[in-house]
Amino acid sequence: MTMDSREKILKAAAEMIAEDMTAQLSVRAVAARAGVSTGSLRFHFPTQRALQDTVLARMYEHMIPDDPIRDGSLPARDRLVNCLRQVLAPAGVGEDARKAWGAAYQAFIAPDPTEQIRTAYLAYERESARRVEYWLSVLADEGVLPQQDHTRKVRFLLTILNGLSIERALPANESILKTETETLYTAVDCVLEPSTT
């Protein structure tokens, strides 16, 4: 079975991102790698942002295929913790986490923040926020959270995830799993509590 042009484009773009997290997915470069015309690429992805967002969403789905937010056998609190834990899992712990953070540092922090680096980072940030927003909207649809703008809660949970992922790379006294689980439940409890503001 041959791949259609859209799939070829997504595969080529994913390979480019895997090789370099800050890769600028230019129309010409992606089209050349995919073996399709630039017109074909523009037909499927009218903007660079549309292409980058689609590729990152696909990569996320590949890394975390079983989204536990809809697992009705668990309370909402546990489901949200399980979702957040899945975000942390790919980075690993110890040496794996240090390598992951080293790569992120080299890609986004060490170099001057060029437009290419900013664009690449913001695409990752958008995809992460979109995912957390999706989880919170599912809980809102179930009546666990109010139907409202969850931007502040999304930002809070992403900040917790960033901190925990850094903590995984640092030397630890205690079991990372134990302290991480406590932190995730505390964060989720804060998000699920009725707002007083």
Side-chain angles (χ1 to χ4, degrees):
M1 181 173 141
T2 61
M3 251 190 282
D4 69 8
S5 58
R6 185 174 193 279
E7 289 305 311
K8 287 179 184 177
I9 292 164
L10 289 173
K11 181 179 183 297
E15 288 170 352
M16 290 170 70
I17 289 174
E19 291 165 5
D20 176 6
M21 285 192 290
T22 66
Q24 183 153 5
L25 299 179
S26 74
V27 172
R28 285 194 174 124
V30 175
R33 181 141 184 182
V36 301
S37 70
T38 56
S40 178
L41 189 143
R42 286 285 189 213
F43 172 77
H44 294 291
F45 305 99
T47 65
Q48 237 177 329
R49 181 174 175 171
L51 172 60
Q52 195 155 25
D53 287 350
T54 304
V55 170
L56 290 175
R58 173 82 58 96
M59 290 171 73
Y60 184 91
E61 293 295 333
H62 179 72
M63 289 187 318
I64 305 172
D66 299 322
D67 194 333
I69 199 64
R70 294 199 181 269
D71 180 358
S73 68
L74 294 174
R77 179 179 188 245
D78 294 334
R79 287 185 281 150
L80 187 52
V81 165
N82 289 342
C83 289
L84 297 171
R85 196 184 319 268
Q86 278 192 333
V87 172
L88 292 168
V93 294
E95 183 61 28
D96 289 339
R98 284 189 291 282
K99 285 180 184 173
W101 267 105
Y105 176 82
Q106 290 302 320
F108 300 118
I109 299 170
D112 288 334
T114 64
E115 191 56 36
Q116 178 181 347
I117 289 171
R118 186 175 291 108
T119 299
Y121 176 75
L122 292 176
Y124 286 109
E125 189 176 71
R126 267 193 316 276
E127 179 53 29
S128 297
R130 185 195 67 79
R131 199 56 162 168
V132 176
E133 175 64 36
Y134 166 73
W135 295 330
L136 297 184
S137 69
V138 168
L139 296 180
D141 290 345
E142 293 175 3
V144 176
L145 286 171
Q147 293 283 353
Q148 63 185 29
D149 180 12
H150 297 291
T151 303
R152 288 176 55 201
K153 291 178 180 187
V154 168
R155 172 64 26 222
F156 171 69
L157 290 174
L158 290 175
T159 301
I160 295 297
L161 289 173
N162 285 335
L164 289 173
S165 67
I166 291 171
E167 199 171 70
R168 282 176 163 222
L170 298 171
N173 259 350
E174 304 176 39
S175 162
I176 289 176
L177 181 59
K178 180 181 184 298
T179 58
E180 187 176 278
T181 299
E182 290 169 355
T183 301
L184 287 172
Y185 273 107
T186 301
V188 165
D189 288 345
C190 289
V191 167
L192 297 180
E193 287 293 315
S195 178
T196 58
T197 57

